[in-house]
Amino acid sequence: MANPTNSSSRAAIVTGASRGIGAAIARRLAGDGFQVVVNYAGSAGPAAEVVEEIEKAGGRAISVQADVSDPQAVTRLFDAAEAAYGGVDVLVNNAGIMKLMPVAETDDATFDQTIAINLKGTFNGLREAARRLRDGGRIVSFSTSVVGLYQPTYGVYAATKAAVEALTHILAKELGPRGIRVNAVAPGPVATELFLKGKDEAALDRARQMIPLGRLGEAEDIARVVSLLAGPDSGWINGQVVRVNGGAV
Ligand code: NAP
């Protein structure tokens, strides 16, 4: 089915949208006129608050629980979006986790969980979107700027995101003939729970010093770029990884 031209009839799924970057993307896409599915795994209350905020601002949103690492849950996520909005035009594969430790200290459970959520979770979304997105749709996945930094302790996390970049380039070629654009964003350090947890002021200062613009990113800095990639003004941007990091890499 062709992508409807009326912006208020387009629908977007944002995974991991109960807080942080995903919540900012959900709010931003709703402001752009999308009907939004706010996905979460365990944080039902915060996801409901994001929906409430969007509705108060005049937008449309629903929250849907789904652990992205479970392919059947991702199928149900798309089912819920189609039932509510009649189809899906945009998938933002934002859900992710980051656990930092040297390779020597990485246990199997951490490796498996990071692969399951960051890589298989993104793959589950990409596969479902490839099957079900309306023609002319857009996919935005999440990498990280640390893919290019090779910092100690980031091994497994960066490896999952490097794989997401490979999938992005390949799926862009597979879906291009249907007018579906597939891109990724690779943020630098953004002030969310994922980045701030466990870091003291000295660690935050070191992070700021690596950034030529001299500040950490805000979730909205990333949401603005996702808005561009999900919208009509990026009509010829396809198969790209956009590094949004204040010039850090
Ligand atoms: P965050 O604040 O920790 O939020 C993560 C979100 O993902 C939450 O809404 C969480 O919801 C959801 N989530 C986690 N596991 C999930 C699962 N299995 N299924 C569905 N949802 C799940 O993280 P963030 O900083 O906003 O990060 C968002 C994305 O940006 C991630 O992919 C991350 O790798 C990437 N990124 C972040 C930074 C940064 O500095 N913050 C830098 C580069 C890249 P629940 O609580 O319900 O699980």
Side-chain angles (χ1 to χ4, degrees), residues 16 18-19 21 41-43 67-68 94 142 157 161 187-188 190 192 194:
S18 59
R19 65 169 181 271
I21 295 170
S43 304
D67 179 341
V68 295
N94 164 81
F142 268 72
Y157 176 70
K161 298 297 192 175
V190 178
T192 67
L194 176 140

Side-chain angles (χ1 to χ4, degrees), residues 60 65 81 162 214:
R60 277 189 78 186
Q65 193 281 337

Side-chain angles (χ1 to χ4, degrees), residues 10 19 21 27 29 34 56 64 80 82 87 99 128 136 153 165 195 206 214 232 236 238 248:
R10 288 177 297 146
R19 65 169 181 271
I21 295 170
R27 286 192 292 264
L29 293 185
F34 285 97
K56 271 193 190 145
V64 177
E82 287 179 352
K99 295 188 175 177
E128 205 66 22
T153 75
E165 292 194 10
F195 176 73
R206 280 197 298 279
W236 216 42
N238 192 27

Side-chain angles (χ1 to χ4, degrees), residues 19-149:
R19 65 169 181 271
I21 295 170
I25 294 167
R27 286 192 292 264
R28 174 64 197 237
L29 293 185
D32 291 348
F34 285 97
Q35 306 169 104
V36 176
V37 176
V38 173
N39 160 253
Y40 64 97
S43 304
E49 281 169 31
V50 174
V51 168
E52 207 179 302
E53 268 181 80
I54 288 172
E55 286 174 341
K56 271 193 190 145
R60 277 189 78 186
I62 54 169
S63 63
V64 177
Q65 193 281 337
D67 179 341
V68 295
S69 68
D70 174 357
Q72 289 173 350
V74 172
T75 298
R76 288 196 299 272
L77 175 62
F78 274 73
D79 290 346
E82 287 179 352
Y85 303 134
V88 183
D89 304 286
V90 170
L91 171 68
V92 182
N93 266 319
N94 164 81
I97 60 165
M98 179 174 82
K99 295 188 175 177
L100 303 182
M101 59 195 80
V103 169
E105 289 165 27
T106 303
D107 53 283
D108 286 349
T110 300
F111 179 88
D112 290 345
Q113 187 195 26
T114 309
I115 293 282
I117 296 175
N118 292 5
L119 175 51
K120 184 147 191 258
T122 299
F123 171 76
N124 289 335
L126 292 175
R127 181 173 57 186
E128 205 66 22
R131 292 172 178 169
R132 297 173 71 167
L133 227 56
R134 286 193 274 228
D135 288 358
R138 294 111 203 207
I139 300 171
V140 183
S141 296
F142 268 72
S143 177
T144 167
S145 286
V146 300
V147 161
L149 281 174

